[in-house]
């Protein structure tokens, strides 16, 4: 089970940090990904981090340089630091767990999903 938190209302240019806590002792074996879905749109890849973390990360061009993914395996938690938020970032944000451990940009490769957390960027 994955539980996201940290969403909310923020002004353009502001920051939020999303958290994704896993209630599973195998968390450290999984890659973690963040996706978002706006009304009427498909789920969009944002970032993933492999089981080992570190430099094994990838970002979508739309968020590269503004968002940072990280993980703390001791806390079974993945994070998404979001800076310089824009109105177009408004969406429901989801974390997913990918069991190969390598990560993927394809939502279909993720086995487990959280319930989502709403992020609204508005003045």
């Amino acid at each position: 089970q994955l539980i996201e938190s940290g969403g909310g209302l923020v002004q353009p240019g502001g920051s939020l940090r999303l958290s994704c806590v896993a209630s599973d002792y195998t968390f450290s074996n999984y890659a973690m990904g963040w996706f978002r879905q706006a009304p009427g749109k498909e789920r969009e890849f944002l970032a993933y981090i492999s089981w080992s973390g570190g430099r094994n990360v990838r970002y979508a061009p739309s968020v590269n340089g503004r968002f940072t993914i990280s993980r703390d395996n001791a806390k079974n938690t993945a994070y998404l630091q979001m800076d310089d938020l824009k109105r177009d970032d408004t969406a429901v944000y989801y974390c997913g767990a990918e069991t190969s451990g390598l990560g993927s940009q394809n939502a279909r490769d993720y086995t487990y999903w959280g319930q989502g957390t709403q992020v609204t960027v508005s003045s």
Side-chain angles (χ1 to χ4, degrees):
Q1 182 181 9
L2 302 176
I3 301 175
E4 300 102 337
S5 63
L9 174 64
V10 63
Q11 292 185 346
S15 298
L16 284 175
R17 188 175 82 156
L18 305 183
S19 298
C20 173
V21 179
S23 58
D24 188 330
Y25 70 95
T26 58
F27 170 83
S28 61
N29 294 335
Y30 299 161
M32 299 300 297
W34 285 97
F35 292 73
R36 68 187 178 192
Q37 190 164 16
K41 295 187 177 181
E42 294 186 353
R43 192 163 295 195
E44 175 190 9
F45 165 75
L46 300 176
Y48 72 70
I49 185 168
S50 74
W51 69 273
S52 61
R55 296 181 179 180
N56 296 317
V57 299
R58 178 161 290 185
Y59 296 95
S62 60
V63 304
N64 193 29
R66 298 190 298 124
F67 291 10
T68 303
I69 191 171
S70 61
R71 66 189 298 158
D72 184 340
N73 286 345
K75 296 182 178 180
N76 277 12
T77 304
Y79 303 97
L80 186 68
Q81 176 67 39
M82 306 187 295
D83 299 316
D84 190 22
L85 283 161
K86 307 177 186 304
R87 288 182 173 83
D88 287 348
D89 293 319
T90 295
V92 178
Y93 283 66
Y94 298 90
C95 66
E98 187 271 330
T99 58
S100 81
L102 300 178
S104 171
Q105 298 181 58
N106 191 335
R108 295 181 180 180
D109 292 333
Y110 288 76
T111 304
Y112 305 106
W113 291 95
Q115 81 289 351
T117 185
Q118 176 70 46
V119 172
T120 302
V121 184
S122 175
S123 55

